[in-house]
Amino acid sequence: MALEENKAFLRRVPLLYSLNEQQIESLAAGSVRRNYPKGRTIVSEGEPSQSLYILLSGRAKVQRSDLEGKEVILAVLGSGDFFGEMSMIDDAPRSASVITLESCDFMSIAKDSFKAMLAQSNEMCMAVMRGLVRRLRDADQKIESLALLDVYGRVARVLMDFSEEIDGERIVRNRLPRQEIAKMIGASREMVSRVMKGLELDGYVVPMSEGRMMLRGKIASWVD
């Protein structure tokens, strides 16, 4: 039963769409489904890499910290995203920690199974490469934001990145704590709180129920 469930989950992952049934079955045999509660560290920066993780449901943050404990959030992962592939390709330690923001379901794929599948499937290699390129572009955008945008622009970019169009409106559906935004943009929580209050007073951000927000007006123009 566990094998069949693993196969069913793996078929839903965009990274693996190119694999045939035999390849999916082989990968499922070396995979384990795991559930973690909110606030759980899945992998830690600097530790050896033994598995590729695919996020099936929930959200998790990718972050790094210095010796003084100062943290920066590099990315927020959602359903279908994967991590751990860089360390599995170059055999270097994990470059960042991944921590759940809510209850999450993961599929853990053993290093040997992952490398064997890369050797068998050019399409999967291309999918992994596209994922790496997307992260590089995201990193370039983050560097650009830190260098060229003021704190209002950096907050606006985070809100736009986490929003989606629903019935003609830009909506941020998942609650974004001020502290998490601060770690994404290299600012203090107090500064983010002042900026968010200003955006609300000016009508650019309209609070909704359950921590959701509606984005209005010319907020998008600040990040162009």
Side-chain angles (χ1 to χ4, degrees):
M1 178 65 70
L3 179 61
E4 291 302 317
E5 290 180 351
N6 286 355
K7 288 165 60 178
F9 281 115
L10 292 174
R11 290 191 193 99
R12 291 162 36 195
V13 178
L15 172 66
L16 309 177
Y17 282 168
S18 65
L19 301 185
N20 59 40
E21 188 63 24
Q22 183 178 358
Q23 290 170 325
I24 285 288
E25 183 165 354
S26 176
L27 203 58
S31 304
V32 178
R33 183 189 173 197
R34 304 178 187 276
N35 176 267
Y36 295 98
K38 177 181 178 180
R40 177 68 63 85
T41 298
I42 309 305
V43 300
S44 296
E45 181 181 352
E47 71 178 10
S49 176
Q50 299 299 327
S51 301
L52 171 80
Y53 286 86
I54 299 173
L55 182 53
L56 301 174
S57 66
R59 293 184 303 144
K61 59 182 178 180
V62 182
Q63 73 176 34
R64 298 191 67 171
S65 58
D66 60 19
L67 295 177
E68 297 179 352
K70 185 178 180 180
E71 300 171 347
V72 60
I73 295 177
L74 304 177
V76 174
L77 306 176
S79 177
D81 287 332
F82 56 92
F83 59 92
E85 76 286 358
M86 290 193 300
S87 296
M88 301 182 75
I89 291 172
D90 65 8
D91 293 317
R94 303 277 189 187
S95 60
S97 299
V98 178
I99 302 168
T100 58
L101 292 171
E102 55 196 52
S103 178
C104 293
D105 284 314
F106 291 93
M107 185 68 76
S108 171
I109 300 176
K111 186 175 186 176
D112 291 344
S113 297
F114 174 72
K115 285 193 168 183
M117 203 53 54
L118 286 181
Q120 297 175 29
S121 173
N122 290 332
E123 291 84 357
M124 186 172 172
C125 287
M126 289 300 299
V128 171
M129 289 174 62
R130 284 192 293 270
L132 292 172
V133 169
R134 183 178 67 250
R135 292 183 188 179
L136 180 58
R137 293 186 187 278
D138 290 343
D140 287 344
Q141 185 182 69
K142 184 179 290 289
I143 292 171
E144 177 190 9
S145 294
L146 292 173
L148 302 178
L149 297 178
D150 62 15
V151 67
Y152 272 84
R154 299 203 299 271
V155 171
R157 171 158 281 174
V158 168
L159 296 179
M160 288 297 296
D161 286 346
F162 280 85
S163 70
E164 55 187 292
E165 187 169 340
I166 301 177
D167 297 329
E169 302 283 358
R170 299 302 305 183
I171 304 294
V172 180
R173 293 205 299 178
N174 293 309
R175 180 176 175 270
L176 288 174
R178 305 292 195 261
Q179 184 63 41
E180 301 298 310
I181 296 176
K183 292 178 182 179
M184 294 179 199
I185 67 170
S188 68
R189 183 188 185 282
E190 292 73 20
M191 176 59 76
V192 171
S193 293
R194 287 198 293 271
V195 170
M196 289 297 296
K197 184 176 181 180
L199 292 175
E200 291 177 12
L201 289 174
D202 291 338
Y204 292 111
V205 173
V206 180
M208 303 172 68
S209 62
E210 299 178 351
R212 295 182 299 167
M213 292 176 281
M214 181 185 299
L215 307 184
R216 287 280 181 84
K218 298 180 180 179
I219 190 170
S221 66
W222 291 346
V223 302
D224 290 340

